Amino acid sequence: MPSVFRKIVCIGAGYVGGPTMAVIADRCPDIEVTVLDMNLDRIAAWNSDDLPVYEPGLAEIVLRTRGRNLRFLGQGEGASVVAAADAVFISVNTPTKTEGEGAGKASDLRHVEACARYIAEHAVGHTFVIEKSTMPVRAADLIKSILSTARTGATFEVLSNPEFLAEGTAIRDLELPDRVLIGGERPEAVGLLAEVYARWVPAERILSTGLWSAELSKLVANAFLAQRVSSINAVSAVCEATGADVEEVAAVVGSDSRIGPKFLRASVGFGGSCFQKDLLSLIYICEHYGLKPAADYWQQVLTLNQWQKQRFADRIAAALAPAGGSLRGRRIAILGFAFKKDTNDIREAPAIDVCRSLLAQGATLAIHDYKVACSTIETALGSECIDIFQTPECTLDGADAVAVLTEWPGYAQLDWANLARRLRPLAPIFDGRNILDDVAVRSAGLILHAIGKGPGL
Ligand code: NAD
Ligand code: UGA
């Protein structure tokens, strides 16, 4: 067994594997870090100036570590690297299953299983296998059973080290984490991985638990965050109906130190690759153990989110076609497609559902995002009836309505006094993130519909 980790491999060069390994390489110059992926285009991008993941601060770190103690390799070149590794992180995607038992809810662990088989085939000596991907409780059992088939004489130890970074703030979250969680069966093994993080994370922020608690804690942390967003979004509907202001209510409720102010921003709905899939995974686990009321409780967080997105699209449609008619011939400017600011990621972005609903009703969409590529938007929506623009200003030309779907700061700074004339007369503005200055918008003679703000007194 190694006494320290000197060579680390990570399988999966995605939004988690890439940034996480870049920060480990940056903070631990004595550790050789290799990131493998079967997607060779992704590896080529990590080795180029145009990284596949946009995260503030990431490019600078990759630039100073790549070629020093960080490298990105195609899976085909990984066999000898895995053989020499002290620890192999598994950081591949764990999406919701689309077929077989648990389809639509359970996590699809086929990529994790493939990694375990690959490690079993190539590892030599005692190798730590570290779950970085988000996994259902007891996934470590599955990994261990696959590793036990190794014919190389290698021995293994599985640790759970789930990642809590949020996209858009990944580097800050990795450099200054609230906590690092390591689940394992032996304190010595947990200690070895803890030593890596201890180079920059204070000891009291490195938490250790049993394997199953670590796996479950990750799912539950996301479930709690998503639940807060759905809670405030439920309140936003009450505010719109009653004339209360959701921002005022959130400020009051969040000032209770037992509740706290974070994750109380009402919005068009939460998106991102993980909240929905991790809630579904938790729901499936509850159902699997016969805990239906617990499953129903978490299901409601998702149901509310779906309702919030549909409510937003319906509000636009109702304003443009009050009698419930079609949106044919109506042009709607969509500002923002990413699921949140500071990322190019559109996985489960609320913009997808809102846009699809408007397109289905016959609207034409003019779309802008600061970081999402045109091809990504076209893949999500198809290219019929959508025009993609390079600036928010051009996106507004001739629009019958505007919908802000991502909280990019650039949208908050738009000069509505000058832009109003680019819109069709009386075009309403729907702010799905509550970032627009209502005084500026209204002084430009425009009607603003914000989330959770009713018609007032
Ligand atoms: P991703 O889809 O961006 O990246 C996964 C990568 O794994 C892909 O590049 C894919 O090609 C590669 N891959 C899949 N199977 C492989 C195999 N057998 N061999 C080699 N490469 C393989 O996913 P992500 O967003 O980085 O998420 C990874 C995991 O981390 C998920 O379990 C997710 O729930 C979890 N997580 C994600 C975030 C986030 O912000 N995205 C945060 C915390 C945790
Ligand atoms: C989330 C968690 O915050 C991370 O801790 C976790 O590691 C990650 O999921 C994961 O497992 O993938 P992320 O999805 O990147 O991170 O982004 P968040 O900041 O959590 O936002 C998620 C969604 O909720 C976004 O669409 C955001 O706009 C929305 N949101 C967030 C709100 O609508 N209101 C809020 O107050 C906060």
Side-chain angles (χ1 to χ4, degrees), residues 10-19 36-40 42 46 53 55 75 90-95 110-116 118 132-135 162-168 170 218 222 273-274 277-278 339 345 347:
C10 173
I11 308 181
Y15 282 85
V16 168
L36 302 175
D37 204 294
M38 63 184 186
N39 180 338
L40 299 184
R42 218 165 202 190
W46 278 112
V53 169
E55 278 293 339
Q75 187 92 333
I90 298 179
S91 187
V92 295
N93 36 330
T94 48
R110 85 175 84 156
H111 301 300
V112 172
E113 291 169 19
C115 291
Y118 184 81
K132 180 54 90 181
S133 298
T134 303
M135 312 234 183
E163 184 49 61
F164 295 100
L165 69 79
E167 288 179 33
K218 170 64 199 176
N222 272 356
S273 62
C274 295
K277 89 169 165 63
D278 291 350
F339 80 96
D345 196 347
R347 290 178 290 181

CSV table of all heavy atoms in Angstrom, one decimal, residues 10-19 36-40 42 46 53 55 75 90-95 110-116 118 132-135 162-168 170 218 222 273-274 277-278 339 345 347, ligand 1:
chain,number,residue,atom,x,y,z
A,10,CYS,N,-7.5,10.2,-13.2
A,10,CYS,CA,-9.0,10.5,-13.1
A,10,CYS,C,-9.6,10.0,-14.4
A,10,CYS,O,-9.1,10.5,-15.5
A,10,CYS,CB,-9.2,12.0,-12.9
A,10,CYS,SG,-11.0,12.4,-13.0
A,11,ILE,N,-10.6,9.2,-14.4
A,11,ILE,CA,-11.3,8.8,-15.6
A,11,ILE,C,-12.5,9.6,-15.7
A,11,ILE,O,-13.4,9.6,-14.8
A,11,ILE,CB,-11.7,7.3,-15.6
A,11,ILE,CG1,-10.4,6.4,-15.3
A,11,ILE,CG2,-12.2,6.9,-17.0
A,11,ILE,CD1,-10.7,4.9,-15.3
A,12,GLY,N,-12.6,10.4,-16.8
A,12,GLY,CA,-13.7,11.4,-17.0
A,12,GLY,C,-13.2,12.8,-17.0
A,12,GLY,O,-12.8,13.3,-15.9
A,13,ALA,N,-13.1,13.4,-18.2
A,13,ALA,CA,-12.6,14.8,-18.3
A,13,ALA,C,-13.7,15.8,-18.5
A,13,ALA,O,-13.7,16.6,-19.4
A,13,ALA,CB,-11.6,14.8,-19.4
A,14,GLY,N,-14.7,15.7,-17.7
A,14,GLY,CA,-15.9,16.5,-17.9
A,14,GLY,C,-15.8,17.8,-17.0
A,14,GLY,O,-14.8,18.2,-16.6
A,15,TYR,N,-17.0,18.3,-16.6
A,15,TYR,CA,-17.2,19.5,-15.8
A,15,TYR,C,-16.6,19.3,-14.4
A,15,TYR,O,-16.1,20.3,-13.8
A,15,TYR,CB,-18.6,19.9,-15.7
A,15,TYR,CG,-19.1,20.6,-17.0
A,15,TYR,CD1,-19.6,19.9,-18.1
A,15,TYR,CD2,-19.1,22.0,-17.1
A,15,TYR,CE1,-20.0,20.5,-19.2
A,15,TYR,CE2,-19.5,22.6,-18.2
A,15,TYR,CZ,-20.0,21.9,-19.3
A,15,TYR,OH,-20.4,22.5,-20.4
A,16,VAL,N,-16.5,18.1,-14.0
A,16,VAL,CA,-16.0,17.8,-12.6
A,16,VAL,C,-14.5,17.3,-12.7
A,16,VAL,O,-13.6,17.9,-12.1
A,16,VAL,CB,-16.8,16.8,-11.9
A,16,VAL,CG1,-16.1,16.3,-10.6
A,16,VAL,CG2,-18.1,17.4,-11.5
A,17,GLY,N,-14.3,16.3,-13.6
A,17,GLY,CA,-12.9,15.7,-13.6
A,17,GLY,C,-11.9,16.7,-14.0
A,17,GLY,O,-10.8,16.8,-13.4
A,18,GLY,N,-12.2,17.5,-15.1
A,18,GLY,CA,-11.2,18.5,-15.6
A,18,GLY,C,-10.8,19.5,-14.5
A,18,GLY,O,-9.7,19.6,-14.1
A,19,PRO,N,-11.8,20.4,-14.0
A,19,PRO,CA,-11.5,21.4,-13.0
A,19,PRO,C,-10.9,20.8,-11.7
A,19,PRO,O,-9.9,21.3,-11.2
A,19,PRO,CB,-12.8,22.1,-12.8
A,19,PRO,CG,-13.6,21.9,-14.0
A,19,PRO,CD,-13.2,20.5,-14.5
A,36,LEU,N,-8.0,10.9,-18.0
A,36,LEU,CA,-8.3,10.1,-19.2
A,36,LEU,C,-9.8,10.3,-19.6
A,36,LEU,O,-10.7,10.5,-18.8
A,36,LEU,CB,-8.2,8.6,-18.9
A,36,LEU,CG,-6.8,8.1,-18.4
A,36,LEU,CD1,-6.9,6.6,-18.0
A,36,LEU,CD2,-5.7,8.4,-19.4
A,37,ASP,N,-10.0,10.2,-20.9
A,37,ASP,CA,-11.4,10.2,-21.4
A,37,ASP,C,-11.5,9.4,-22.7
A,37,ASP,O,-10.6,9.4,-23.5
A,37,ASP,CB,-11.9,11.6,-21.6
A,37,ASP,CG,-13.5,11.8,-21.5
A,37,ASP,OD1,-14.2,11.2,-22.3
A,37,ASP,OD2,-13.9,12.4,-20.5
A,38,MET,N,-12.7,8.8,-22.8
A,38,MET,CA,-12.8,8.0,-24.1
A,38,MET,C,-13.2,9.0,-25.2
A,38,MET,O,-13.2,8.6,-26.4
A,38,MET,CB,-13.9,6.9,-23.9
A,38,MET,CG,-15.2,7.4,-23.6
A,38,MET,SD,-16.3,6.0,-23.3
A,38,MET,CE,-17.9,6.8,-23.1
A,39,ASN,N,-13.7,10.2,-24.9
A,39,ASN,CA,-14.1,11.2,-25.9
A,39,ASN,C,-12.8,11.9,-26.3
A,39,ASN,O,-12.3,12.8,-25.6
A,39,ASN,CB,-15.1,12.1,-25.3
A,39,ASN,CG,-15.6,13.1,-26.3
A,39,ASN,OD1,-14.9,13.5,-27.2
A,39,ASN,ND2,-16.7,13.7,-26.0
A,40,LEU,N,-12.3,11.5,-27.5
A,40,LEU,CA,-11.0,12.1,-27.9
A,40,LEU,C,-11.1,13.6,-28.3
A,40,LEU,O,-10.1,14.3,-28.2
A,40,LEU,CB,-10.4,11.3,-29.1
A,40,LEU,CG,-10.1,9.8,-28.7
A,40,LEU,CD1,-9.5,9.1,-29.9
A,40,LEU,CD2,-9.3,9.7,-27.4
A,42,ARG,N,-12.9,15.7,-26.7
A,42,ARG,CA,-12.8,16.4,-25.4
A,42,ARG,C,-11.4,16.5,-25.0
A,42,ARG,O,-10.9,17.6,-24.5
A,42,ARG,CB,-13.7,15.7,-24.4
A,42,ARG,CG,-14.4,16.7,-23.5
A,42,ARG,CD,-15.5,16.1,-22.7
A,42,ARG,NE,-16.4,17.1,-22.3
A,42,ARG,CZ,-17.4,17.0,-21.4
A,42,ARG,NH1,-17.6,15.8,-20.9
A,42,ARG,NH2,-18.1,18.0,-21.1
A,46,TRP,N,-9.1,19.8,-24.2
A,46,TRP,CA,-8.4,20.1,-23.0
A,46,TRP,C,-6.9,20.4,-23.3
A,46,TRP,O,-6.2,21.1,-22.5
A,46,TRP,CB,-8.5,18.9,-22.0
A,46,TRP,CG,-9.7,18.9,-21.2
A,46,TRP,CD1,-10.7,17.9,-21.3
A,46,TRP,CD2,-10.1,19.8,-20.2
A,46,TRP,NE1,-11.7,18.2,-20.4
A,46,TRP,CE2,-11.4,19.3,-19.7
A,46,TRP,CE3,-9.6,20.9,-19.6
A,46,TRP,CZ2,-12.1,20.0,-18.7
A,46,TRP,CZ3,-10.3,21.5,-18.6
A,46,TRP,CH2,-11.5,21.1,-18.1
A,53,VAL,N,-14.6,23.2,-21.2
A,53,VAL,CA,-15.5,23.7,-20.1
A,53,VAL,C,-15.1,25.1,-19.8
A,53,VAL,O,-14.0,25.5,-19.7
A,53,VAL,CB,-15.2,22.9,-18.8
A,53,VAL,CG1,-15.8,23.5,-17.6
A,53,VAL,CG2,-15.6,21.4,-19.0
A,55,GLU,N,-15.2,27.9,-17.2
A,55,GLU,CA,-15.3,28.3,-15.7
A,55,GLU,C,-14.3,29.4,-15.5
A,55,GLU,O,-13.1,29.3,-15.8
A,55,GLU,CB,-14.8,27.1,-14.9
A,55,GLU,CG,-15.8,26.0,-14.6
A,55,GLU,CD,-17.0,26.4,-13.8
A,55,GLU,OE1,-16.9,27.4,-13.1
A,55,GLU,OE2,-18.0,25.8,-13.9
A,75,GLN,N,-8.4,7.5,-23.6
A,75,GLN,CA,-8.4,6.3,-22.8
A,75,GLN,C,-7.5,5.2,-23.4
A,75,GLN,O,-6.9,4.4,-22.6
A,75,GLN,CB,-9.9,5.8,-22.9
A,75,GLN,CG,-10.2,4.6,-22.0
A,75,GLN,CD,-10.7,5.1,-20.7
A,75,GLN,OE1,-10.4,6.2,-20.2
A,75,GLN,NE2,-11.5,4.3,-20.0
A,90,ILE,N,-12.9,8.0,-10.3
A,90,ILE,CA,-14.0,7.8,-11.3
A,90,ILE,C,-14.8,9.0,-11.3
A,90,ILE,O,-15.5,9.3,-10.3
A,90,ILE,CB,-14.8,6.5,-11.0
A,90,ILE,CG1,-13.9,5.2,-11.0
A,90,ILE,CG2,-15.9,6.4,-12.0
A,90,ILE,CD1,-14.7,3.9,-10.7
A,91,SER,N,-14.8,9.7,-12.4
A,91,SER,CA,-15.5,11.0,-12.5
A,91,SER,C,-16.3,11.1,-13.8
A,91,SER,O,-16.3,12.1,-14.5
A,91,SER,CB,-14.6,12.2,-12.4
A,91,SER,OG,-15.3,13.4,-12.3
A,92,VAL,N,-17.0,10.0,-14.1
A,92,VAL,CA,-17.8,9.9,-15.3
A,92,VAL,C,-19.2,10.3,-15.0
A,92,VAL,O,-19.6,10.4,-13.9
A,92,VAL,CB,-17.7,8.5,-15.9
A,92,VAL,CG1,-16.3,8.1,-16.4
A,92,VAL,CG2,-18.2,7.4,-15.0
A,93,ASN,N,-20.0,10.4,-16.1
A,93,ASN,CA,-21.4,10.8,-15.9
A,93,ASN,C,-22.2,9.7,-15.4
A,93,ASN,O,-22.0,8.5,-15.7
A,93,ASN,CB,-21.9,11.4,-17.3
A,93,ASN,CG,-21.4,10.6,-18.5
A,93,ASN,OD1,-20.3,10.2,-18.5
A,93,ASN,ND2,-22.2,10.5,-19.5
A,94,THR,N,-23.2,10.0,-14.5
A,94,THR,CA,-24.1,9.0,-14.0
A,94,THR,C,-25.5,9.5,-14.2
A,94,THR,O,-26.2,9.9,-13.3
A,94,THR,CB,-23.8,8.9,-12.4
A,94,THR,OG1,-23.8,10.2,-11.8
A,94,THR,CG2,-22.5,8.2,-12.2
A,95,PRO,N,-26.0,9.5,-15.5
A,95,PRO,CA,-27.3,10.1,-15.8
A,95,PRO,C,-28.4,9.2,-15.3
A,95,PRO,O,-28.2,8.1,-14.8
A,95,PRO,CB,-27.3,10.1,-17.3
A,95,PRO,CG,-26.3,9.0,-17.7
A,95,PRO,CD,-25.3,8.9,-16.6
A,110,ARG,N,-23.7,2.5,-15.9
A,110,ARG,CA,-22.9,1.7,-16.9
A,110,ARG,C,-21.5,2.3,-17.1
A,110,ARG,O,-20.6,1.6,-17.4
A,110,ARG,CB,-23.7,1.5,-18.2
A,110,ARG,CG,-23.6,2.6,-19.2
A,110,ARG,CD,-24.3,2.3,-20.4
A,110,ARG,NE,-25.7,2.6,-20.3
A,110,ARG,CZ,-26.5,2.9,-21.3
A,110,ARG,NH1,-26.0,2.8,-22.5
A,110,ARG,NH2,-27.7,3.2,-21.1
A,111,HIS,N,-21.4,3.6,-17.1
A,111,HIS,CA,-20.1,4.2,-17.3
A,111,HIS,C,-19.2,3.9,-16.1
A,111,HIS,O,-18.0,3.7,-16.3
A,111,HIS,CB,-20.2,5.7,-17.5
A,111,HIS,CG,-21.0,6.1,-18.7
A,111,HIS,ND1,-20.8,5.7,-20.0
A,111,HIS,CD2,-22.2,6.8,-18.8
A,111,HIS,CE1,-21.7,6.1,-20.8
A,111,HIS,NE2,-22.6,6.8,-20.1
A,112,VAL,N,-19.8,3.9,-14.9
A,112,VAL,CA,-19.0,3.6,-13.7
A,112,VAL,C,-18.5,2.2,-13.8
A,112,VAL,O,-17.4,1.8,-13.5
A,112,VAL,CB,-19.9,3.8,-12.4
A,112,VAL,CG1,-19.2,3.3,-11.2
A,112,VAL,CG2,-20.2,5.3,-12.3
A,113,GLU,N,-19.4,1.3,-14.2
A,113,GLU,CA,-19.1,-0.1,-14.3
A,113,GLU,C,-17.9,-0.3,-15.3
A,113,GLU,O,-17.0,-1.1,-15.1
A,113,GLU,CB,-20.3,-1.0,-14.7
A,113,GLU,CG,-21.3,-1.0,-13.6
A,113,GLU,CD,-22.7,-1.6,-14.2
A,113,GLU,OE1,-22.7,-2.3,-15.2
A,113,GLU,OE2,-23.7,-1.4,-13.5
A,114,ALA,N,-18.0,0.4,-16.4
A,114,ALA,CA,-17.0,0.3,-17.5
A,114,ALA,C,-15.6,0.7,-16.9
A,114,ALA,O,-14.6,0.1,-17.2
A,114,ALA,CB,-17.3,1.1,-18.7
A,115,CYS,N,-15.7,1.8,-16.1
A,115,CYS,CA,-14.4,2.3,-15.5
A,115,CYS,C,-13.9,1.2,-14.5
A,115,CYS,O,-12.6,0.9,-14.5
A,115,CYS,CB,-14.6,3.6,-14.7
A,115,CYS,SG,-15.0,5.0,-15.7
A,116,ALA,N,-14.7,0.6,-13.7
A,116,ALA,CA,-14.3,-0.4,-12.8
A,116,ALA,C,-13.7,-1.6,-13.5
A,116,ALA,O,-12.6,-2.1,-13.1
A,116,ALA,CB,-15.5,-0.9,-11.9
A,118,TYR,N,-12.2,-1.4,-16.4
A,118,TYR,CA,-11.0,-1.0,-17.0
A,118,TYR,C,-9.9,-0.9,-16.0
A,118,TYR,O,-8.7,-1.4,-16.2
A,118,TYR,CB,-11.2,0.5,-17.6
A,118,TYR,CG,-10.1,1.1,-18.3
A,118,TYR,CD1,-9.8,0.8,-19.6
A,118,TYR,CD2,-9.2,2.0,-17.7
A,118,TYR,CE1,-8.7,1.4,-20.3
A,118,TYR,CE2,-8.2,2.6,-18.3
A,118,TYR,CZ,-7.9,2.3,-19.6
A,118,TYR,OH,-6.9,2.9,-20.3
A,132,LYS,N,-15.7,9.8,-7.5
A,132,LYS,CA,-15.9,11.2,-7.5
A,132,LYS,C,-17.3,11.5,-8.1
A,132,LYS,O,-17.9,12.5,-7.7
A,132,LYS,CB,-14.7,11.8,-8.4
A,132,LYS,CG,-14.7,13.3,-8.5
A,132,LYS,CD,-14.8,14.1,-7.2
A,132,LYS,CE,-13.5,14.4,-6.6
A,132,LYS,NZ,-13.7,15.2,-5.3
A,133,SER,N,-17.7,10.7,-9.0
A,133,SER,CA,-19.1,10.8,-9.6
A,133,SER,C,-20.1,10.7,-8.4
A,133,SER,O,-19.8,10.1,-7.4
A,133,SER,CB,-19.4,9.7,-10.6
A,133,SER,OG,-18.5,9.7,-11.7
A,134,THR,N,-21.2,11.3,-8.7
A,134,THR,CA,-22.3,11.1,-7.7
A,134,THR,C,-23.0,9.7,-7.9
A,134,THR,O,-23.4,9.4,-9.0
A,134,THR,CB,-23.4,12.2,-7.9
A,134,THR,OG1,-22.7,13.5,-7.8
A,134,THR,CG2,-24.5,12.1,-6.9
A,135,MET,N,-23.1,8.9,-6.9
A,135,MET,CA,-23.5,7.6,-7.0
A,135,MET,C,-24.7,7.3,-6.0
A,135,MET,O,-24.7,7.9,-5.0
A,135,MET,CB,-22.4,6.6,-6.7
A,135,MET,CG,-21.1,6.9,-7.4
A,135,MET,SD,-20.5,5.6,-8.3
A,135,MET,CE,-18.9,6.3,-8.8
A,162,PRO,N,-17.3,12.4,-2.9
A,162,PRO,CA,-18.2,13.2,-3.8
A,162,PRO,C,-17.8,14.6,-3.9
A,162,PRO,O,-17.2,15.2,-3.0
A,162,PRO,CB,-19.6,13.0,-3.2
A,162,PRO,CG,-19.4,12.6,-1.8
A,162,PRO,CD,-18.0,11.9,-1.7
A,163,GLU,N,-18.2,15.2,-5.1
A,163,GLU,CA,-17.8,16.6,-5.4
A,163,GLU,C,-19.0,17.5,-5.1
A,163,GLU,O,-20.1,17.3,-5.6
A,163,GLU,CB,-17.3,16.7,-6.8
A,163,GLU,CG,-16.8,18.1,-7.2
A,163,GLU,CD,-15.8,18.6,-6.1
A,163,GLU,OE1,-14.8,17.9,-5.9
A,163,GLU,OE2,-16.1,19.6,-5.5
A,164,PHE,N,-18.7,18.7,-4.5
A,164,PHE,CA,-19.8,19.6,-4.2
A,164,PHE,C,-19.7,20.9,-5.0
A,164,PHE,O,-20.4,21.9,-4.7
A,164,PHE,CB,-19.8,20.0,-2.7
A,164,PHE,CG,-20.2,18.8,-1.8
A,164,PHE,CD1,-19.2,18.1,-1.2
A,164,PHE,CD2,-21.5,18.4,-1.7
A,164,PHE,CE1,-19.5,16.9,-0.4
A,164,PHE,CE2,-21.8,17.3,-0.9
A,164,PHE,CZ,-20.9,16.5,-0.3
A,165,LEU,N,-18.8,21.0,-5.9
A,165,LEU,CA,-18.6,22.2,-6.7
A,165,LEU,C,-19.9,22.6,-7.4
A,165,LEU,O,-20.6,21.7,-7.9
A,165,LEU,CB,-17.4,22.2,-7.6
A,165,LEU,CG,-17.5,21.3,-8.9
A,165,LEU,CD1,-18.3,21.9,-10.0
A,165,LEU,CD2,-16.1,20.9,-9.3
A,166,ALA,N,-20.1,23.9,-7.6
A,166,ALA,CA,-21.2,24.3,-8.5
A,166,ALA,C,-20.6,24.9,-9.7
A,166,ALA,O,-19.5,25.5,-9.7
A,166,ALA,CB,-22.1,25.4,-7.8
A,167,GLU,N,-21.3,24.7,-10.9
A,167,GLU,CA,-20.7,25.3,-12.1
A,167,GLU,C,-20.8,26.8,-12.0
A,167,GLU,O,-21.7,27.4,-11.5
A,167,GLU,CB,-21.5,24.7,-13.3
A,167,GLU,CG,-21.1,23.3,-13.5
A,167,GLU,CD,-21.9,22.6,-14.7
A,167,GLU,OE1,-22.2,23.3,-15.7
A,167,GLU,OE2,-22.2,21.4,-14.6
A,168,GLY,N,-19.8,27.4,-12.7
A,168,GLY,CA,-19.7,28.9,-12.7
A,168,GLY,C,-18.8,29.4,-11.5
A,168,GLY,O,-18.3,30.4,-11.6
A,170,ALA,N,-16.8,26.9,-9.9
A,170,ALA,CA,-16.1,25.6,-9.7
A,170,ALA,C,-14.7,25.9,-9.1
A,170,ALA,O,-14.3,25.2,-8.1
A,170,ALA,CB,-15.9,24.8,-11.0
A,218,LYS,N,-24.2,13.2,-0.5
A,218,LYS,CA,-24.1,13.9,-1.7
A,218,LYS,C,-25.5,14.1,-2.3
A,218,LYS,O,-25.9,15.2,-2.7
A,218,LYS,CB,-23.2,13.2,-2.7
A,218,LYS,CG,-23.2,13.8,-4.1
A,218,LYS,CD,-22.7,15.2,-4.2
A,218,LYS,CE,-23.1,15.9,-5.5
A,218,LYS,NZ,-22.8,17.3,-5.6
A,222,ASN,N,-27.8,17.8,-2.5
A,222,ASN,CA,-28.4,18.4,-3.7
A,222,ASN,C,-30.0,18.5,-3.5
A,222,ASN,O,-30.6,19.4,-4.0
A,222,ASN,CB,-28.1,17.6,-5.0
A,222,ASN,CG,-26.8,18.1,-5.6
A,222,ASN,OD1,-26.2,19.1,-5.1
A,222,ASN,ND2,-26.3,17.4,-6.6
A,273,SER,N,-27.2,19.8,-14.6
A,273,SER,CA,-27.1,18.4,-14.9
A,273,SER,C,-27.5,17.5,-13.7
A,273,SER,O,-27.8,16.3,-13.8
A,273,SER,CB,-25.7,18.0,-15.3
A,273,SER,OG,-24.8,18.2,-14.3
A,274,CYS,N,-27.5,18.1,-12.5
A,274,CYS,CA,-27.6,17.2,-11.3
A,274,CYS,C,-28.8,17.2,-10.4
A,274,CYS,O,-29.2,16.2,-9.9
A,274,CYS,CB,-26.3,17.4,-10.4
A,274,CYS,SG,-24.9,16.9,-11.4
A,277,LYS,N,-31.5,14.8,-11.7
A,277,LYS,CA,-31.1,13.4,-11.7
A,277,LYS,C,-30.8,12.8,-10.3
A,277,LYS,O,-31.1,11.7,-10.0
A,277,LYS,CB,-29.9,13.1,-12.7
A,277,LYS,CG,-28.6,13.3,-12.0
A,277,LYS,CD,-27.5,12.8,-12.9
A,277,LYS,CE,-26.1,13.3,-12.4
A,277,LYS,NZ,-25.7,12.8,-11.1
A,278,ASP,N,-30.3,13.7,-9.4
A,278,ASP,CA,-30.0,13.3,-8.1
A,278,ASP,C,-31.2,13.1,-7.2
A,278,ASP,O,-31.3,12.2,-6.4
A,278,ASP,CB,-28.9,14.2,-7.4
A,278,ASP,CG,-27.6,14.1,-8.1
A,278,ASP,OD1,-27.4,13.2,-8.9
A,278,ASP,OD2,-26.7,14.9,-7.8
A,339,PHE,N,-27.9,27.2,-18.0
A,339,PHE,CA,-28.8,26.9,-16.9
A,339,PHE,C,-28.6,27.9,-15.7
A,339,PHE,O,-29.4,28.0,-14.8
A,339,PHE,CB,-28.8,25.5,-16.4
A,339,PHE,CG,-27.6,25.1,-15.5
A,339,PHE,CD1,-27.7,25.1,-14.2
A,339,PHE,CD2,-26.4,24.8,-16.1
A,339,PHE,CE1,-26.7,24.7,-13.3
A,339,PHE,CE2,-25.3,24.4,-15.3
A,339,PHE,CZ,-25.4,24.4,-13.9
A,345,ASP,N,-22.9,25.5,-19.9
A,345,ASP,CA,-23.6,24.2,-19.8
A,345,ASP,C,-25.1,24.5,-19.9
A,345,ASP,O,-25.7,25.4,-19.3
A,345,ASP,CB,-23.4,23.7,-18.4
A,345,ASP,CG,-23.7,22.2,-18.3
A,345,ASP,OD1,-24.5,21.7,-19.1
A,345,ASP,OD2,-23.3,21.6,-17.3
A,347,ARG,N,-27.3,21.7,-19.7
A,347,ARG,CA,-28.0,20.5,-19.3
A,347,ARG,C,-29.2,20.8,-18.4
A,347,ARG,O,-29.1,21.5,-17.4
A,347,ARG,CB,-27.1,19.5,-18.7
A,347,ARG,CG,-26.1,18.9,-19.7
A,347,ARG,CD,-25.1,18.0,-19.1
A,347,ARG,NE,-24.1,18.7,-18.2
A,347,ARG,CZ,-23.1,18.1,-17.6
A,347,ARG,NH1,-22.9,16.8,-17.7
A,347,ARG,NH2,-22.3,18.8,-16.8
B,1,NAD,P1,-19.6,15.1,-17.9
B,1,NAD,O1,-20.6,14.5,-18.8
B,1,NAD,O2,-19.2,16.5,-18.2
B,1,NAD,O3,-18.2,14.3,-18.0
B,1,NAD,C1,-18.1,12.9,-17.9
B,1,NAD,C2,-17.0,12.5,-18.8
B,1,NAD,O4,-16.8,11.1,-18.6
B,1,NAD,C3,-17.3,12.6,-20.3
B,1,NAD,O5,-16.3,13.4,-20.9
B,1,NAD,C4,-17.3,11.2,-20.9
B,1,NAD,O6,-16.8,11.1,-22.2
B,1,NAD,C5,-16.4,10.5,-19.9
B,1,NAD,N1,-16.7,9.0,-19.8
B,1,NAD,C6,-17.8,8.4,-19.6
B,1,NAD,N2,-17.6,7.0,-19.6
B,1,NAD,C7,-16.3,6.9,-19.7
B,1,NAD,C8,-15.4,5.7,-19.7
B,1,NAD,N3,-15.9,4.5,-19.6
B,1,NAD,N4,-14.1,5.9,-19.9
B,1,NAD,C9,-13.6,7.1,-20.1
B,1,NAD,N5,-14.3,8.3,-20.1
B,1,NAD,C10,-15.7,8.1,-19.9
B,1,NAD,O7,-20.1,14.9,-16.4
B,1,NAD,P2,-19.7,15.8,-15.2
B,1,NAD,O8,-20.6,17.0,-15.2
B,1,NAD,O9,-18.3,16.0,-15.1
B,1,NAD,O10,-20.3,14.9,-14.0
B,1,NAD,C11,-19.5,13.8,-13.6
B,1,NAD,C12,-20.1,13.3,-12.3
B,1,NAD,O11,-19.9,14.3,-11.3
B,1,NAD,C13,-21.6,12.9,-12.3
B,1,NAD,O12,-21.8,11.8,-11.5
B,1,NAD,C14,-22.2,14.2,-11.7
B,1,NAD,O13,-23.4,13.9,-11.0
B,1,NAD,C15,-21.1,14.6,-10.7
B,1,NAD,N6,-21.1,16.0,-10.3
B,1,NAD,C16,-21.2,16.9,-11.3
B,1,NAD,C17,-21.2,18.3,-10.9
B,1,NAD,C18,-21.3,19.4,-12.0
B,1,NAD,O14,-21.3,20.5,-11.6
B,1,NAD,N7,-21.3,19.1,-13.3
B,1,NAD,C19,-20.9,18.7,-9.6
B,1,NAD,C20,-20.8,17.7,-8.7
B,1,NAD,C21,-20.9,16.3,-9.0
